[in-house]
Amino acid sequence: MDTTVDANTAQQEPEPVKGGIVAYLQVDGAMKAAEFYKRALGAEFAGAHPPDDRGRTMHVHLYINGSSLMLCDPYPDYGYPLEKPQAFTVMLPVEGIDAWWKRAVEAGMEVVTELQVMFWGDRYGQLRDPFGILWAMNEPVK
């Protein structure tokens, strides 16, 4: 799907938000992150606010595995500086975890915790993306 944003995007009807709780991540390069998540996690582009003259965007909306994910760039000049991601993990429950894991690693995610059966009985592993976000994938063992 083409993630090119033009001046008309802000006037289009927004796509529906999917999921009960939606992560809104601030990353250095929101449009680059959207492209990366497309390759690594099969993200679908739902919409975005057009970039400013510095290439920053205040809003990107993606769908990943049936849920929404929102992204934005930092705006230190408006009181929103870039901060190192910490103390949270984005959990991604999936079916077919081996294929999800392989695609993410091949796209450039760094393995933090190897994919394995955990003490609670599910297959689980953690990955860090190039933007510093920690992701966990989980699939119940059948």
Side-chain angles (χ1 to χ4, degrees), residues 5-6 8 11 17-18 20 24 48-49 55 58 92 97 101 109 111 121 123-124 129 137:
V5 180
D6 61 29
N8 296 324
Q11 297 173 352
V17 174
K18 298 178 180 181
Y24 208 123
H49 192 275
M58 64 171 42
L92 183 58
I97 198 167
W101 188 265
M109 285 194 160
V111 175
R123 292 189 69 210
Y124 174 91
D129 70 30
M137 290 187 192

Side-chain angles (χ1 to χ4, degrees), residues 16-37:
V17 174
K18 298 178 180 181
I21 295 177
V22 177
Y24 208 123
L25 307 176
Q26 182 194 71
V27 295
D28 187 14
M31 292 303 289
K32 288 179 186 176
E35 287 296 327
F36 178 78
Y37 295 150

Side-chain angles (χ1 to χ4, degrees), residues 12-69:
Q12 294 175 357
E13 189 67 29
E15 294 296 321
V17 174
K18 298 178 180 181
I21 295 177
V22 177
Y24 208 123
L25 307 176
Q26 182 194 71
V27 295
D28 187 14
M31 292 303 289
K32 288 179 186 176
E35 287 296 327
F36 178 78
Y37 295 150
K38 184 176 165 183
R39 289 189 313 277
L41 302 171
E44 299 172 44
F45 188 81
H49 192 275
D52 67 10
D53 58 353
R54 295 186 200 172
R56 306 174 301 182
T57 184
M58 64 171 42
H59 180 73
V60 178
H61 182 180
L62 302 175
Y63 296 136
I64 299 176
N65 197 30
S67 293
S68 289
L69 175 70

Side-chain angles (χ1 to χ4, degrees), residues 78-138:
Y78 291 98
Y80 298 95
L82 182 65
E83 295 183 24
K84 180 180 177 182
Q86 59 185 345
F88 71 90
T89 302
V90 179
M91 183 68 161
L92 183 58
V94 297
E95 292 182 16
I97 198 167
D98 291 309
W100 280 84
W101 188 265
K102 183 177 189 252
R103 176 178 56 194
V105 171
E106 286 178 353
M109 285 194 160
E110 170 194 352
V111 175
V112 175
T113 302
E114 290 289 342
L115 190 58
Q116 59 192 289
V117 176
M118 300 303 277
F119 66 89
W120 61 85
D122 292 351
R123 292 189 69 210
Y124 174 91
Q126 292 182 335
L127 302 158
R128 188 171 316 279
D129 70 30
F131 303 90
I133 307 297
L134 185 63
W135 293 79
M137 290 187 192
N138 188 81

